[in-house]
């Protein structure tokens, strides 16, 4: 029945779309058609032009800034701004979230679209409508709570709820599940299907191909700024390998590089009795009595649901970059470390790749070169003077090693595609040559091909004798690359499993374990 | 090949002048062009008085303290802060200088040293509240503005102190010594102009060579030559006009040294890079191991020293320490930095931009007074120029997004 209800009626036609940036042709004659009432996935490698195409569609790049034509609902659409496109029922949720942290959830939901009477905000209407849409997206929070304290996952749900408060006909989601855990992702996909029932057409950009296959009716593949093909999920026999082939132009044999007889040495890094409290809310105990260790050459995973305290644990270990009343011991190579600042941690051979690259990882106004050397400037300078030649050489080397797609290392990182930005952050920490590399969601927003490359890099670093600690919400990823996996739940480490014994089910059990069984103290 | 290189093949079927125009980075050169336009405009409306030797010399001397402050202010703004107190700090330092040198009869060298140290301490005081206690710089320096103005008045008991010894006044009103006059020209100044010309040629050539080594397109020769020719013409015309009067003022040398030193620090040193990093994204800088508090603290200490220096220059030029010295200096310095391309959100701005910005304001002030424009109207014009300059900058920035 599903197939028959789908009309051939096109809600959107984009034809011959070409968009250039200085030195880059991001889109090159792209054709993109979307049928009314479907969920249409847009996939492609990092830098293929997906986000750019959607920015063209939603008026971020106004009419005249690009070539080609857009027909929406049978009418030529020439949007001058996002406002125009929203009037026409097109709502885009960007890859990078755009909420005001100092405002409450409810206020954010109706930002620019306030529930008001006679110019005054109607707080009753605001709150009750907020509760309504929040329930729709499965967000359980006080509507009056400030956005500032919420994790990326919840913020994403707020973004979607915000789109729902507008009269949306065509909803564009740019990597909405990149920051979500499995449960929340599943929730979101259910939501998209729900919306489809109510006549909302969605365009979904995602690097998670299993999700794409689960919800999409059609899939359009972009490569190098051109349309490769549009696949009909229901008609054709489409599987992940088929999509990947379109994306990268060849077959990709494995999703994870085989881990061949890793040389795992002695335990060289240990954390004992680690406790961290929330920096503002004094009695919020974020990490409780955590202990873990890493061996040389070992890739260790850290699994957990959102809010389990993984990032808090990692950042507090990394020179107390987060949290208050931190206590516990860190031992490296048998010696206890006193890390008071991030600089101490870096000097001690630690590196932490953040999960939030825009806020914590990058200087968006500066070029790739200046970003990658920042964590270890002395290495490219003599007596306090930066050797720009050496610096450029370093940046070039990392660009090649990580295959960062850019016209040059002098490109502003703010102009790179999301995945390539992630590679720049990674490059920065590879350059610092750490002994222990902590990676927090290292492949968030990265395409399959690039993921594989990053796994290879992780393996290579491990083979050099470094210890790697990977935090990831994607269990298959942890299972695919780690030698040993810890699970965290509600601030405690609830167990660990060697790769051979780990399964998704076993990990899930640990990740949802309540502390009752453990040493709970009064 | 997503990143199709379009610049290269597009440049081919384009007339040369269009290619040249396209190469001009208006964000970078916009203010220099604006400065040139303003100079020409006032050169004409003042019947050439603006560019007379005496007036060119005056321009430097009149604006020297604002130029010094603008350099420091640029660092503060790049760091993501603001400093409203510099005028008052300059007044306070001028006041204690007066007391030390005039009342107590201290030797001028010792006085200058103490004054600069006091400037550093004041900077440290404000930097402490801003960087470590994390009180917004706007508030801390607003308080400083009141505080140090009040202290200056207290120290001087509302009176002026004068005169300063001759040696001290050399700093702000002296000239380079004369060695042999040739048809009325100050030869050292002419020589310095020639040296500077050679230096810029050498810098351009070596930068082209370096770009080639990096494997970067070195840019068109025509553009290099045009740029150099313009620069050399300006340098030498400037040196020549100065030489026709009494040569390069001492304070001019001080400025040149400061400009070169600070440009170097901000462009090429680890310390400078960290100032940009903290201003651009403090959290990311912190997570990269940058000691963000120390950096901001250092920037304010530096601003304190430069404010003290400006106070010394101003006192010497006036030949008196007065409690009303330095009123509105902070506004001139801030305006200079923003006209010169600083970003209010931090992380962006160049030392040379602040200099150009300060000169834009200085030439306008000077030109408008020469043509006898109503003082109130002058303020209106300056306000409009500040807004227009920043609007132009923002427009260009958005265009490149
Ligand atoms: N403002 C900009 N200035 C210059 N180049 C840009 C700009 N925005 C995007 N690009 C370039 O355009 C290309 C396409 O970028 P886009 O963000 O659309 O990729 P994407 O398909 O969304 O990738 P990802 O999966 O990594 O998010 C990239 O090469 C990128 O560097
Ligand atoms: Mg994208």
């Amino acid at each position: 029945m599903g197939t028959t209800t789908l009309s051939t009626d096109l809600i959107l036609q984009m034809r011959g779309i070409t968009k250039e940036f200085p030195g880059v042709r991001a889109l090159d004659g792209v054709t993109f058609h979307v049928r009314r009432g479907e969920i249409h996935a847009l996939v492609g490698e990092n830098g293929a032009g997906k986000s750019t195409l959607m920015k063209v569609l939603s008026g971020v790049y106004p009419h005249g800034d690009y070539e080609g034509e857009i027909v929406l609902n049978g009418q030529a659409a020439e949007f001058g701004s996002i406002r125009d496109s929203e009037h026409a029922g097109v709502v885009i949720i960007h890859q990078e979230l755009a909420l005001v942290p100092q405002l409450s959830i409810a206020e954010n939901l109706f930002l620019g679209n306030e529930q008001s009477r006679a110019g005054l905000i109607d707080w009753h209407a605001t709150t009750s409508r907020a509760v309504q849409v929040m329930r729709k997206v499965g967000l359980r929070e006080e509507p009056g709570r400030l956005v500032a304290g919420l994790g990326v996952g919840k913020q994403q749900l707020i973004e979607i709820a915000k789109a729902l408060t507008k009269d949306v006909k065509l909803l564009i989601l740019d990597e909405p599940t990149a920051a979500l855990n499995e449960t929340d992702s599943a929730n979101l996909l259910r939501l998209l299907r729900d919306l489809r029932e109510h006549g909302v057409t969605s365009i979904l950009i995602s690097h998670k191909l299993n999700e794409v296959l689960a919800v999409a009716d059609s899939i359009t593949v972009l490569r190098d700024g051109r349309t490769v093909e549009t696949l009909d999920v229901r008609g054709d026999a489409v599987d992940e390998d088929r999509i990947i082939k379109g994306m990268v132009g060849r077959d990709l044999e494995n999703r994870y590089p085989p881990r061949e007889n890793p040389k795992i040495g002695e335990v060289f890094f240990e954390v004992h009795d680690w406790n961290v409290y929330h920096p503002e809310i004094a009695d919020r105990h974020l990490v409780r009595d955590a202990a873990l260790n890493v061996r040389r050459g070992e890739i260790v995973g850290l699994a957990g649901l959102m809010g389990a305290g993984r990032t808090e644990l990692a950042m507090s270990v990394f020179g107390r970059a987060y949290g208050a009343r931190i206590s516990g011991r860190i031992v490296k190579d048998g010696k206890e470390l006193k890390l008071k600042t991030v600089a101490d941690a870096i000097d001690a051979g630690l590196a932490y790749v953040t999960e939030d690259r825009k806020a914590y990882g990058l200087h968006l106004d500066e070029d790739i070169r200046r970003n990658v050397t920042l964590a270890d400037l002395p290495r490219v300078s003599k007596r306090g003077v930066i050797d720009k030649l050496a610096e450029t050489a370093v940046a070039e080397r990392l660009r090649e090693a990580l295959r960062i797609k850019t016209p040059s290392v002098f490109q502003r990182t703010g102009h790179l595609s999301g995945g390539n930005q992630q590679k720049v952050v990674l490059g920065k920490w590879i350059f610092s040559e750490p002994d222990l590399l902590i990676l927090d969601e290292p492949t968030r927003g990265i395409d399959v091909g690039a993921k594989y490359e990053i796994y290879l890099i992780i393996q290579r670093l491990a083979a050099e004798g470094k210890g790697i600690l990977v935090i990831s919400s994607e269990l298959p990823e942890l299972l695919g690359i780690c030698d040993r996996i810890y699970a965290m739940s509600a601030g405690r480490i609830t167990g660990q499993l060697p790769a051979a014994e780990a399964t998704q089910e076993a990990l899930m059990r640990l990740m949802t374990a309540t502390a009752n069984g453990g040493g709970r103290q009064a | 090949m997503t990143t199709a290189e379009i610049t290269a093949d597009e440049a081919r079927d384009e007339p040369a002048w269009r290619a040249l125009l396209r190469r001009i980075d208006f964000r970078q050169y916009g203010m220099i062009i604006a400065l040139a336009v303003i100079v020409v405009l006032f050169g004409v409306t003042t019947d050439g008085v603006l560019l007379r030797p005496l007036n060119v010399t005056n321009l430097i001397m009149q604006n020297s303290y604002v130029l010094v402050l603008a350099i420091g202010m640029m660092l503060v703004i790049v760091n993501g802060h603001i400093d409203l107190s510099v005028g008052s700090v300059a007044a306070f330092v001028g006041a204690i200088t007066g007391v030390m040198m005039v009342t107590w009869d201290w030797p001028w060298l010792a006085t200058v040293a103490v004054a600069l140290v006091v400037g550093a301490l004041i900077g440290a005081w404000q930097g402490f509240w801003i960087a470590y206690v994390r009180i917004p710089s706007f508030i801390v320096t607003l308080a400083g503005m009141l505080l140090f103005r009040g202290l200056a008045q207290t120290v001087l008991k509302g009176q002026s102190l004068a005169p300063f010894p001759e040696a001290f006044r050399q700093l702000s009103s002296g000239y380079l010594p004369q060695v042999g006059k040739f048809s009325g020209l100050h030869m050292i100044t002419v020589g310095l102009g020639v040296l500077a010309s050679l230096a810029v040629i050498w810098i351009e050539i070596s930068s082209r060579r370096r770009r080639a080594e990096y494997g970067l397109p070195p840019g068109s020769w025509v553009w290099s030559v045009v740029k150099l020719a313009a620069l050399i013409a300006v340098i030498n015309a400037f040196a020549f006009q100065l030489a026709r009067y009494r040569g390069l003022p001492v304070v001019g040398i001080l400025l040149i040294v400061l400009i070169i030193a600070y440009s170097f620090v901000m462009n090429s040193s680890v310390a400078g890079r960290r100032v940009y990093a903290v201003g651009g994204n403090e959290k990311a800088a912190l997570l990269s191991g940058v000691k963000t508090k120390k950096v901001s603290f250092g920037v304010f200490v530096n601003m304190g020293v430069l404010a003290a220096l400006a106070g010394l220059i101003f006192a010497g030029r006036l030949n008196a320490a007065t409690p009303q010295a330095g009123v509105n200096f902070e506004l001139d310095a801030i305006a200079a930095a923003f006209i010169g391309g600083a970003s209010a959100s931090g992380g962006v701005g160049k030392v040379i931009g602040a200099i150009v910005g300060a000169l834009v304001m200085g030439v306008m002030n000077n030109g408008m007074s020469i043509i006898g424009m109503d003082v109130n109207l002058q303020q209106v014009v300056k306000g409009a120029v500040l807004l227009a300059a920043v609007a132009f900058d923002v427009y260009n920035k958005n265009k490149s997004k």
Side-chain angles (χ1 to χ4, degrees):
Chain A
M1 342 159 261
T3 351
T4 46
T5 54
L6 264 182
S7 58
T8 47
D9 169 22
L10 295 177
I11 186 170
L12 171 75
Q13 294 162 268
M14 298 179 82
R15 282 192 291 257
I17 306 290
T18 296
K19 166 80 188 156
E20 285 172 357
F21 297 106
V24 185
R25 182 169 283 148
L27 297 175
D28 191 0
V30 169
T31 300
F32 182 52
H33 291 178
V34 178
R35 290 177 293 189
R36 191 179 308 282
E38 72 170 345
I39 298 176
H40 196 125
L42 189 57
V43 301
E45 293 186 286
N46 297 127
K50 306 178 296 289
S51 299
T52 307
L53 186 67
M54 291 303 105
K55 286 180 185 169
V56 165
L57 171 58
S58 58
V60 174
Y61 299 126
H63 182 72
D65 239 31
Y66 57 88
E67 286 160 40
E69 55 171 351
I70 303 175
V71 178
L72 186 71
N73 278 320
Q75 281 176 328
E78 302 182 347
F79 300 134
S81 69
I82 307 182
R83 242 167 202 275
D84 290 356
S85 68
E86 282 186 358
H87 274 299
V90 178
V91 177
I92 183 165
I93 299 175
H94 288 287
Q95 203 163 357
E96 46 275 354
L97 304 175
L99 296 171
V100 183
Q102 288 86 359
L103 294 184
S104 71
I105 297 176
E107 285 168 312
N108 266 290
L109 286 175
F110 296 101
L111 196 64
N113 177 23
E114 283 79 5
Q115 301 293 297
S116 59
R117 258 197 313 220
L120 294 177
I121 292 192
D122 180 346
W123 287 108
H124 286 295
T126 302
T127 312
S128 67
R129 283 209 58 198
V131 170
Q132 256 173 34
V133 286
M134 281 165 67
R135 195 174 306 136
K136 253 192 217 166
V137 299
L139 178 68
R140 276 175 296 275
E141 280 289 344
E142 275 299 308
R145 177 144 184 223
L146 294 195
V147 166
L150 299 175
V152 248
K154 286 190 173 153
Q155 295 195 21
Q156 183 73 61
L157 293 180
I158 299 173
E159 286 276 8
I160 293 160
K162 186 173 166 186
L164 295 184
T165 66
K166 298 168 187 160
D167 186 20
V168 53
K169 300 211 170 54
L170 180 58
L171 179 66
I172 306 168
L173 300 128
D174 196 345
E175 299 192 36
T177 60
L180 300 192
N181 63 30
E182 308 256 333
T183 330
D184 287 335
S185 298
N187 225 334
L188 179 86
L189 299 180
R190 202 171 321 120
L191 195 70
L192 285 188
R193 289 200 200 96
D194 243 33
L195 291 172
R196 179 171 59 188
E197 298 301 310
H198 291 91
V200 177
T201 313
S202 315
I203 299 174
L204 170 72
I205 298 182
S206 178
H207 289 292
K208 297 184 179 172
L209 300 181
N210 55 345
E211 293 177 4
V212 165
L213 281 171
V215 293
D217 302 300
S218 332
I219 302 171
T220 292
V221 182
L222 288 188
R223 191 195 319 147
D224 296 345
R226 298 199 181 90
T227 315
V228 176
E229 56 192 347
T230 296
L231 304 166
D232 187 336
V233 177
R234 310 201 172 185
D236 311 340
V238 181
D239 61 5
E240 292 191 25
D241 290 337
R242 177 72 192 75
I243 305 174
I244 293 170
K245 194 174 163 200
M247 284 169 61
V248 299
R250 65 191 150 81
D251 283 313
L252 197 71
E253 286 187 2
N254 290 317
R255 213 63 72 71
Y256 303 100
R259 187 104 168 100
E260 277 150 8
N261 48 47
K263 281 199 284 296
I264 296 176
E266 293 296 298
V267 169
F268 80 108
F269 186 84
E270 299 158 73
V271 175
H272 298 286
D273 308 321
W274 201 253
N275 280 284
V276 180
Y277 288 83
H278 195 280
E280 275 112 40
I281 308 163
D283 57 352
R284 255 206 25 225
H285 204 162
L286 298 172
V287 178
R288 294 167 188 256
D289 305 324
L292 57 77
N293 59 50
V294 182
R295 298 187 174 87
R296 286 204 179 278
E298 189 183 29
I299 304 173
V300 177
L302 186 53
L305 298 175
M306 233 194 307
R310 296 165 299 166
T311 296
E312 289 81 359
L313 170 61
M315 282 180 78
S316 57
V317 166
F318 188 58
R320 302 173 177 252
Y322 178 88
R325 290 202 279 147
I326 299 167
S327 64
R329 287 185 307 127
I330 301 172
V331 179
K332 185 169 168 254
D333 296 318
K335 278 197 291 282
E336 180 159 356
L337 294 180
K338 292 262 176 269
L339 307 177
K340 291 213 178 60
T341 64
V342 173
D344 291 345
I346 294 174
D347 287 343
L350 268 57
Y352 169 73
V353 178
T354 168
E355 62 175 333
D356 188 348
R357 59 179 167 256
K358 295 252 175 188
Y360 296 115
L362 287 173
H363 284 81
L364 296 169
D365 271 337
E366 299 203 342
D367 58 20
I368 297 175
R369 175 188 53 148
R370 281 168 160 241
N371 270 283
V372 291
T373 53
L374 185 64
D376 199 358
L377 277 173
R379 275 253 305 289
V380 288
S381 39
K382 277 193 214 74
R383 273 174 267 112
V385 178
I386 296 169
D387 179 349
K388 294 197 184 148
L389 201 70
E391 191 183 28
T392 309
V394 162
E396 280 296 345
R397 218 176 51 227
L398 287 166
R399 176 174 86 123
E400 273 164 38
L402 298 171
R403 299 216 295 152
I404 300 170
K405 230 179 228 177
T406 169
S408 88
V409 295
F410 303 102
Q411 180 77 314
R412 273 181 52 176
T413 48
H415 287 171
L416 297 176
S417 76
N420 283 303
Q421 289 179 345
Q422 181 67 19
K423 291 184 185 177
V424 174
V425 184
L426 201 57
K428 165 156 98 181
W429 291 106
I430 289 177
F431 174 63
S432 79
E433 298 201 333
D435 298 325
L436 177 75
L437 181 62
I438 306 172
L439 301 159
D440 200 348
E441 306 286 357
T443 62
R444 173 175 293 170
I446 287 194
D447 70 55
V448 268
K451 268 185 189 165
Y452 192 85
E453 288 165 24
I454 284 177
Y455 300 144
L456 279 179
I457 293 164
I458 292 175
Q459 287 197 351
R460 206 174 63 218
L461 294 170
E464 288 168 13
K466 301 181 192 314
I468 315 275
L469 183 64
V470 185
I471 298 173
S472 175
S473 298
E474 284 182 56
L475 291 180
E477 175 170 276
L478 290 178
L479 293 168
I481 61 170
C482 294
D483 301 316
R484 188 159 58 97
I485 304 171
Y486 285 99
M488 242 181 130
S489 169
R492 286 178 199 278
I493 292 200
T494 46
Q496 57 167 309
L497 292 169
E501 291 166 29
T503 60
Q504 296 216 26
E505 293 69 36
L507 283 173
M508 262 324 246
R509 222 169 300 127
L510 291 173
M511 283 155 63
T512 49
T514 45
N516 297 349
R520 194 187 198 177
Q521 277 141 27
Chain B
M1 258 288 299
T2 324
T3 55
E5 271 283 342
I6 53 169
T7 34
D9 39 340
E10 246 192 26
R12 243 162 253 145
D13 42 78
E14 203 175 19
W17 63 271
R18 281 271 301 279
L20 199 66
L21 260 188
R22 217 160 42 79
R23 270 187 200 287
I24 300 179
D25 177 352
F26 279 97
R27 265 200 87 197
Q28 195 178 350
Y29 296 104
M31 277 312 120
I32 296 182
I33 295 168
L35 178 60
V37 169
I38 288 170
V39 168
V40 170
L41 189 75
F42 282 108
V44 172
T45 52
T46 60
D47 296 323
V49 174
L50 182 85
L51 297 173
R52 290 222 182 113
L54 168 66
N55 196 54
V56 171
T57 308
N58 270 340
L59 258 174
I60 299 184
M61 297 209 166
Q62 275 169 9
N63 291 298
S64 51
Y65 29 90
V66 171
L67 285 164
V68 170
L69 291 175
I71 293 174
M73 193 62 76
M74 185 53 110
L75 267 64
V76 169
I77 292 174
V78 165
N79 190 230
H81 292 288
I82 196 85
D83 190 340
L84 300 173
S85 70
V86 294
S88 297
V89 173
F92 175 66
V93 170
I96 59 165
T97 307
V99 172
M100 286 186 282
M101 229 178 310
V102 179
T103 315
W104 300 344
D105 230 358
W106 281 24
W108 72 271
L109 208 58
T111 311
V112 167
V114 171
L116 293 179
V117 169
V118 168
L121 289 176
I122 292 173
W125 158 260
Q126 305 202 102
F128 165 76
W129 293 108
I130 292 163
Y132 292 96
V133 189
R134 300 197 73 82
I135 299 177
S137 55
F138 186 87
I139 293 166
V140 172
T141 60
L142 183 62
M145 181 177 175
L146 301 169
L147 207 124
F148 294 108
R149 176 69 58 196
L151 285 178
Q153 269 153 351
T154 312
V155 167
L156 292 173
K157 303 188 186 73
Q159 308 282 305
S160 290
L161 281 178
F164 284 114
E166 183 58 34
F168 173 68
R169 291 176 49 213
Q170 288 296 315
L171 173 66
S172 48
S173 17
Y175 296 88
L176 279 189
Q178 183 71 282
V179 281
K181 236 178 157 117
F182 175 75
S183 60
L185 285 182
H186 186 280
M187 290 317 289
I188 293 185
T189 305
V190 174
L192 282 175
V194 173
L195 266 180
S197 313
L198 292 176
V200 294
I201 293 176
W202 182 77
I203 288 170
E204 179 70 17
I205 291 178
S206 67
S207 109
R208 287 185 67 94
R209 194 180 325 124
R210 292 269 297 285
R211 283 181 71 88
E213 276 174 48
Y214 287 36
L216 290 167
S220 91
W221 262 111
V222 191
W223 173 233
S224 272
V225 172
V226 170
K227 203 167 69 176
L228 275 180
L231 199 55
I232 290 172
V234 169
I235 290 173
N236 286 288
F238 187 62
F240 183 73
Q241 287 303 73
L242 289 177
R244 280 173 62 197
Y245 186 59
R246 294 174 58 186
L248 185 63
V250 173
V251 73
I253 299 181
L254 179 70
L255 282 171
I256 291 171
V257 170
L258 287 179
I259 293 168
I260 292 176
Y262 277 93
S263 295
F264 178 75
V265 166
M266 292 305 278
N267 288 336
S268 305
S269 80
V270 172
R273 182 68 63 80
R274 289 186 172 150
V275 175
Y276 283 103
V278 172
N281 184 346
E282 189 175 351
K283 290 181 203 152
L286 185 75
L287 275 183
S288 301
V290 175
K291 294 185 171 138
T292 53
K293 292 176 182 166
K294 268 193 190 154
V295 171
S296 301
F297 181 77
V299 164
F300 275 94
V301 171
N302 176 69
M303 184 75 251
V305 173
L306 290 181
L309 183 59
L312 289 170
I313 297 173
F314 187 75
R317 185 171 154 72
L318 214 61
N319 197 12
T322 89
Q324 285 314 311
V327 172
N328 286 351
F329 279 12
E330 61 282 339
L331 300 185
D332 284 339
I334 292 169
F338 283 122
I339 290 178
S343 152
S345 52
V348 178
K350 287 188 166 167
V351 171
I352 194 69
I355 299 300
V356 172
L359 288 177
V360 166
M361 298 292 272
V363 170
M364 280 196 334
N365 273 334
N366 184 271
M368 289 189 297
S369 336
I370 295 174
I371 57 175
M373 188 187 278
D374 176 41
V375 181
N376 303 319
L377 204 56
Q378 288 190 19
Q379 291 234 8
V380 176
V381 173
K382 273 161 60 180
V385 167
L386 171 62
L387 190 59
V390 176
F392 174 79
D393 192 50
V394 168
Y395 168 78
N396 269 306
K397 215 191 284 183
N398 286 340
K399 218 173 52 177
S400 77
K401 259 193 188 144

